[in-house]
Amino acid sequence: MTEKFDSVVVGGGPAGIAAAYTMAKAGLDVLVLEKGEKPGAKNMFGGVIFRHHTEKIAPEFWKTAPVERHVVEYQYWFLSKDSHVLVSHRNQKFNDRYNAFTVHRAKFDPWFAKLAEDAGALIINRTTVDDIIREDGRIVGVKTERGDVMANVVVAADGVNSMLSKQAGLREEIPGDAAVLAVKEVIALPKQKIEDRFNLGPDEGIAALLVGCGPGMHAGFMYTNRDTISLGMGINIHDLDKSKQRPNDLYEQFKNHPSITPLVKDGELKEYSAHLIPEGGYNHVANVYTDGMLVAGDAAMLVNAINWEGTNLAMTSGIIAGETVIQAKKKADFSSNTLSTYRQKLEESFVLRDLKKYRKIPKFFSSNQHFFTTYPEAINELAYMWHVVDDELKQERVGHMKSKLFKQRSRIGLIRDAYNIWRLFS
Ligand SMILES: Cc1cc2nc3c(=O)[nH]c(=O)nc-3n(C[C@H](O)[C@H](O)[C@H](O)COP(=O)(O)OP(=O)(O)OC[C@H]3O[C@@H](n4cnc5c(N)ncnc54)[C@H](O)[C@@H]3O)c2cc1C
């Protein structure tokens, strides 16, 4: 079979569905090809979706969408081998105006995809796109095992490993220092137990980031769902290689930390998965357009690792890609010249403005790992020294604390780190 569409979208994740919804709503003939048995079947994340950007497609979506809990508290854990320091922010305002929701992608993505279907897009699951089709140098369709599909514009929303953007020559293989390998478990516990352990009301949830206690750029995450906990950790591939450890061993080490174990005690393992996160930032963003093709979401490496945002960048880039195709159709011009407005609009949006602002941060953290190793350890040691009660005079105690700190990081190093952080974020 050979069919022709205004646009064929490859990938039924947040980016692809946002693009398909935008175009279908404007009356374009849109086909989404998804390799999983349904959208979300092959997707994993932490994680939370964000109200602000999801509402651009589905106002008040939490009333009908399969969301788990709305986040009322953000936790930042600094771990040493046998202790932690926890900084957290809980705010009633998150109950008055929801900000983010924990979701399971296997439930949320099919719901999200139905919005595009209801708007008129055709979604075909269990169909892997194997290659792009070119005619006279421009991309005019895709090849699948079921046949060729022709389109004025192909939207590549095929995720972090995006075969399509590589075939189109828009992107290289993701380098190890720009990618994080994450492993995650979904652990079932009774709803009430989760609420008791995390001090939550019904439907309230937490989102937690945990640093320390692992090699290199290594961080853990924890999210509360209705009756499960999503617990995982991610490590920069470059640092994983250097550590000579296996990711599942690192995860076990993390899960067996004395501060984590009680939170998941007696839980039943429901799911284990692993996935890459493109965390290279602005300097690694792909070329996002060529004749007959646009690239959106993780395929274009649009992830803000500092704020742990990805789905909102994916949805926004999908919407902008969709709008670009709508304009191109009006002009009946699908050349890279017309499609280049996509990059321009991304540059004007928060997507590339935020990534550009943070563009030096990924390299800074990968070459200055004290923030993942030395500082979490030091904060824990200082907290311990501060709280021990014995005969030592407090003045001497503070002196000992200072010398302990400067043994781990020199005064100059501390000042330099503080200055660099201030500069990077200001
Ligand atoms: C561990 C982890 C934690 C995260 N936590 C968060 C979080 O809390 N909040 C947040 O906002 N973001 C988070 N992210 C990032 C977020 O998941 C991604 O940025 C987002 O899913 C990108 O959406 P996408 O549509 O571009 O790609 P994906 O969601 O990866 O979707 C791509 C789709 O394309 C399909 N596909 C791939 N190749 C083909 C092919 N050849 N043919 C047909 N179909 C194909 C796949 O099956 C998939 O459905 C996290 C990511 C990870 C890995």
Side-chain angles (χ1 to χ4, degrees), residues 197-218:
R197 284 184 188 177
F198 291 88
N199 187 23
L200 296 168
D203 300 333
E204 289 181 344
I206 64 112
L209 167 71
L210 305 95
V211 290
C213 197
M217 269 177 77
H218 169 284

Side-chain angles (χ1 to χ4, degrees), residues 9-17 32-50 101 105 109 124 126-131 143-144 156-164 180-184 207 221 223 232-234 273-279 296-300 302-304 307-315 317:
V9 177
V10 182
I17 294 302
V32 180
L33 295 174
E34 165 56 49
K35 71 177 174 187
E37 65 192 44
K38 59 178 183 178
K42 299 212 176 244
N43 294 349
M44 94 64 132
F45 84 150
V48 289
I49 54 153
F50 303 97
F101 297 86
R105 294 286 299 273
D109 285 17
I124 303 186
R126 293 195 183 90
T127 307
T128 301
V129 170
D130 298 318
D131 209 342
K143 282 188 180 302
T144 80
D158 49 341
V160 57
N161 290 315
S162 182
M163 203 177 61
L164 260 72
V180 162
L181 177 68
V183 296
K184 167 183 153 181
F221 56 87
Y223 296 92
M233 74 93 214
S273 51
H275 207 282
L276 281 183
I277 316 176
E279 293 202 351
D298 275 16
L302 302 175
V303 166
N304 172 350
N307 298 93
W308 284 49
E309 295 177 16
T311 52
N312 52 339
L313 282 76
M315 287 177 193
S317 61

Side-chain angles (χ1 to χ4, degrees), residues 114-180:
K114 177 87 173 30
L115 299 178
E117 231 165 17
D118 291 346
L122 174 62
I123 300 181
I124 303 186
N125 299 317
R126 293 195 183 90
T127 307
T128 301
V129 170
D130 298 318
D131 209 342
I132 49 178
I133 302 171
R134 285 183 192 270
E135 256 174 38
D136 301 327
R138 67 176 296 269
I139 293 165
V140 292
V142 293
K143 282 188 180 302
T144 80
E145 71 267 25
R146 294 176 188 224
D148 295 351
V149 184
M150 311 307 279
N152 289 325
V153 181
V154 173
V155 177
D158 49 341
V160 57
N161 290 315
S162 182
M163 203 177 61
L164 260 72
S165 55
K166 286 179 233 161
Q167 285 163 343
L170 295 175
R171 217 191 92 176
E172 303 275 301
E173 200 60 67
I174 185 165
D177 61 351
V180 162

